[in-house]
């Protein structure tokens, strides 16, 4: 009798949809680590941590100075903007915090910003007042020396953010100068 045919190839691993429903695709993401794959979309992705990642500070009026003192560059993950689920943003913050603690990027720190909570507070310091309108539609941004900002508009997943950070380090991403004097949130290109 003829030899048995080889078994059919196994299907590729199932990729989780990004939190934005796949509307923006700026790079491929790997769901194999399960840390930042679109949480809560019913496709079987792993549950992300319920609360903020341990050791990642929340940016607020009270924590602004210590966070800025932690590094020249603050990788800021923004929650409650409607762009991505909070659990996804927390997972991303935990992922990049662990990466930074591994020594890959000196002079960098990671923080979370609750857009909704901070935007409704009266009497914000000028930096927060200038920052909030600029991060409204972003999952992550980089605050440079407390006065310049670069925002990421892609898929909420580690690989596209890593690619964006590499472009940022190569000078391929423009920085916006925050107008701290007026605190109006307007920015000019730097």
């Amino acid at each position: 009798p003829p030899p048995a045919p080889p078994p059919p190839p196994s299907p590729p691993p199932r990729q989780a949809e990004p939190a934005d429903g796949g509307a923006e695709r700026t790079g491929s993401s790997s769901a194999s680590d399960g840390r930042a794959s679109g949480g809560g979309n019913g496709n079987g992705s792993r549950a992300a941590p319920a609360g903020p990642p341990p050791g990642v500070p929340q940016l607020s009026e009270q924590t602004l100075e210590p966070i800025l003192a932690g590094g020249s560059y603050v990788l800021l993950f923004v929650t409650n903007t409607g762009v991505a689920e909070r659990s996804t943003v927390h997972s991303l913050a935990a992922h990049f915090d662990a990466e930074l603690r591994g020594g890959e990027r000196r002079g960098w720190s990671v923080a979370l910003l609750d857009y909704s909570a901070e935007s409704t507070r009266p009497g914000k310091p000028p930096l927060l007042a200038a920052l909030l309108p600029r991060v409204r539609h972003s999952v992550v941004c980089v605050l440079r020396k407390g006065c310049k900002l670069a925002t990421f508009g892609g898929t909420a997943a580690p690989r596209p953010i890593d690619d964006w950070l590499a472009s940022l380090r190569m000078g391929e991403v423009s920085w916006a100068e925050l107008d701290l004097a007026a605190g109006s949130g307007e920015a000019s290109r730097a």
Side-chain angles (χ1 to χ4, degrees):
S10 59
R14 187 172 178 188
Q15 297 263 331
E17 280 296 312
D20 66 0
E24 286 187 276
R25 297 211 189 268
T26 59
S28 62
S29 65
S30 169
S32 63
D33 67 4
R35 285 181 285 203
S37 311
N41 57 10
N43 66 4
S45 62
R46 283 188 217 163
V56 177
Q58 185 78 35
L59 185 68
S60 67
E61 183 175 358
Q62 295 77 26
T63 62
L64 187 60
E65 290 304 319
I67 288 173
L68 291 177
S72 297
Y73 297 90
V74 179
L75 190 56
L76 194 57
F77 290 89
V78 187
T79 60
N80 292 326
T81 62
V83 176
E85 291 187 25
R86 183 187 325 224
S87 61
T88 300
V89 178
H90 286 176
S91 294
L92 287 167
H95 169 82
F96 284 96
D97 185 56
E99 209 173 84
L100 290 173
R101 288 182 194 274
E104 279 190 29
R105 297 179 181 108
R106 296 189 195 286
W108 286 71
S109 61
V110 175
L112 288 163
L113 173 63
D114 184 331
Y115 175 84
S116 180
E118 293 304 320
S119 65
T120 58
R121 288 189 211 278
K124 292 177 253 324
L127 178 58
L128 273 178
L131 188 62
L132 287 166
R134 302 287 299 162
V135 301
R136 172 66 180 95
H137 300 288
S138 185
V139 171
V140 65
C141 60
V142 174
L143 182 61
R144 179 177 158 197
K145 298 183 181 178
C147 63
K148 292 186 179 185
L149 184 73
T151 56
F152 173 74
T155 303
R159 185 169 179 177
I161 294 172
D162 264 332
D163 292 345
W164 176 74
L165 289 171
S167 295
L168 188 72
R169 288 191 307 269
M170 296 296 294
E172 298 167 356
V173 175
S174 61
W175 293 93
E177 187 82 32
L178 294 173
D179 183 3
L180 302 179
S184 65
E186 295 301 316
S188 59
R189 290 282 168 202

